[in-house]
Amino acid sequence: MFMNTASRIAIVAGGSRGIGRAVASRLAAAGQDVAVVYASNAKEADAAVGEIEAAGSRGIALQADVADEVAVAVAFDTVEERLGPVDVVVNAAGVMALQPTRELDLAQLDRQLRINVRGTFVVARQAARRIRPGGAIVAFSTSVTRLHHPAFGAYAASKGAVEALVPILAKELGGRDVTVNAVAPGPTATELFFDGKSQQDIDRIAGLSPMKRLGTPQDIAEVVAFLAGPGRWVNGQIVFANGGAA
């Protein structure tokens, strides 16, 4: 049965840019009010809220480091006070640094583990405590956990932790009618993806998919909107959204 998602309240961490921003706009288009949680770029977060409001939904922007448990708890408090009880939590916040293992900057490794792993657990902990029955939690992994590209070791390892958490959290929330899934995008045309890559690298990676193109943030947002709305019988899964890249 199709779920009417109007009047639902969503939090999108990492919602000011890239895939997260596309997700925030897509959920707003489905009638959900959306809180955009951002790390530092207030201007982009305000622009994302403008897109949410243009879709006819309520939007707010909240600054928080997803790895800071106090800041995340305050963000959830603020959403509940200003918008209402939370139905959907999407954590698209993440960082990526590409280095071969033998050249790995351990400070970069620590940063990725802090944001991508600790941040996932911090957000998931609050979501598990507060989300209403009928709600959905959507985390983010990456198709690189299966594609095994050189230099992606630290990033893929951090997302492997996300994949380990998702089915366990789904079972922990058993009986509450809350779904927990992760989306694992393939190469997607975002600022995060393009950073540090040559055009030759971009073209080569785009050619890995039978679709012969990069994904778009909107491609990924459609998958998230399904999991955050009508996809009630998908639970504890890692959904690979990569155009068939293998």
Side-chain angles (χ1 to χ4, degrees):
M1 190 166 107
F2 181 77
M3 171 180 280
N4 181 1
T5 59
S7 300
R8 282 158 69 86
I9 309 301
I11 295 175
V12 180
S16 64
R17 294 186 293 175
I19 292 173
R21 183 160 170 175
V23 168
S25 292
R26 179 63 181 81
L27 295 181
Q32 300 192 35
D33 296 329
V34 184
V36 172
V37 176
Y38 68 97
S40 59
N41 196 324
K43 181 178 180 180
E44 292 290 347
D46 288 342
V49 169
E51 293 172 6
I52 292 163
E53 293 175 339
S57 295
R58 294 182 298 166
I60 59 174
L62 301 169
Q63 193 278 329
D65 173 358
V66 292
D68 182 335
E69 66 270 30
V70 174
V72 170
V74 169
F76 272 78
D77 288 342
T78 304
V79 173
E80 290 173 343
E81 292 166 4
R82 295 178 58 182
L83 297 179
V86 177
D87 301 287
V88 173
V89 176
V90 180
N91 185 7
V95 294
M96 178 173 64
L98 306 183
Q99 293 175 318
T101 303
R102 67 182 180 182
E103 301 169 8
L104 183 61
D105 180 340
L106 295 180
Q108 287 290 348
L109 171 65
D110 290 344
R111 179 169 180 259
Q112 289 180 92
L113 293 177
R114 183 178 185 277
I115 300 299
N116 299 350
V117 180
R118 179 184 169 90
T120 294
F121 275 85
V122 169
V123 173
R125 185 173 70 157
Q126 289 297 326
R129 293 173 176 177
R130 304 188 192 222
I131 201 162
R132 291 197 292 186
I137 300 171
V138 183
F140 267 79
S141 181
T142 172
S143 286
V144 177
T145 59
R146 302 296 184 274
L147 298 176
H148 306 141
H149 295 316
F152 280 80
Y155 179 67
S158 72
K159 293 301 186 177
V162 176
E163 294 189 11
L165 170 64
V166 162
I168 292 172
L169 182 58
K171 291 181 178 180
E172 289 176 349
L173 297 180
R176 286 181 50 186
D177 190 26
V178 173
T179 62
V180 184
N181 295 287
V183 177
T188 306
T190 65
E191 182 179 333
L192 181 67
F193 171 80
F194 289 124
D195 185 38
K197 294 184 179 68
S198 68
Q199 188 60 50
Q200 182 180 12
D201 289 336
I202 294 167
D203 292 343
R204 176 182 56 79
I205 294 171
L208 295 174
S209 164
M211 310 294 282
K212 300 303 178 186
R213 67 171 177 86
L214 297 174
T216 68
Q218 290 72 29
D219 290 328
I220 311 305
E222 288 296 331
V223 179
V224 175
F226 173 73
L227 296 174
R232 302 302 302 163
W233 202 234
V234 181
N235 192 20
Q237 304 301 309
I238 314 302
V239 180
F240 287 82
N242 57 28

CSV table of all heavy atoms in Angstrom, one decimal, residues 66 145 219:
chain,number,residue,atom,x,y,z
A,66,VAL,N,28.5,16.0,12.8
A,66,VAL,CA,27.8,14.7,13.0
A,66,VAL,C,28.5,13.8,14.0
A,66,VAL,O,27.9,12.8,14.6
A,66,VAL,CB,27.5,14.0,11.7
A,66,VAL,CG1,26.5,14.7,10.9
A,66,VAL,CG2,28.8,13.7,11.0
A,145,THR,N,32.9,-0.4,-1.9
A,145,THR,CA,33.1,-1.6,-1.0
A,145,THR,C,33.0,-2.9,-1.8
A,145,THR,O,33.5,-4.0,-1.4
A,145,THR,CB,32.0,-1.7,0.1
A,145,THR,OG1,30.7,-1.7,-0.5
A,145,THR,CG2,32.2,-0.5,1.0
A,219,ASP,N,19.6,10.9,-9.1
A,219,ASP,CA,19.4,9.5,-9.2
A,219,ASP,C,19.4,8.8,-7.8
A,219,ASP,O,18.6,7.9,-7.6
A,219,ASP,CB,20.6,8.9,-10.0
A,219,ASP,CG,20.6,9.2,-11.5
A,219,ASP,OD1,19.5,9.3,-12.1
A,219,ASP,OD2,21.7,9.3,-12.1
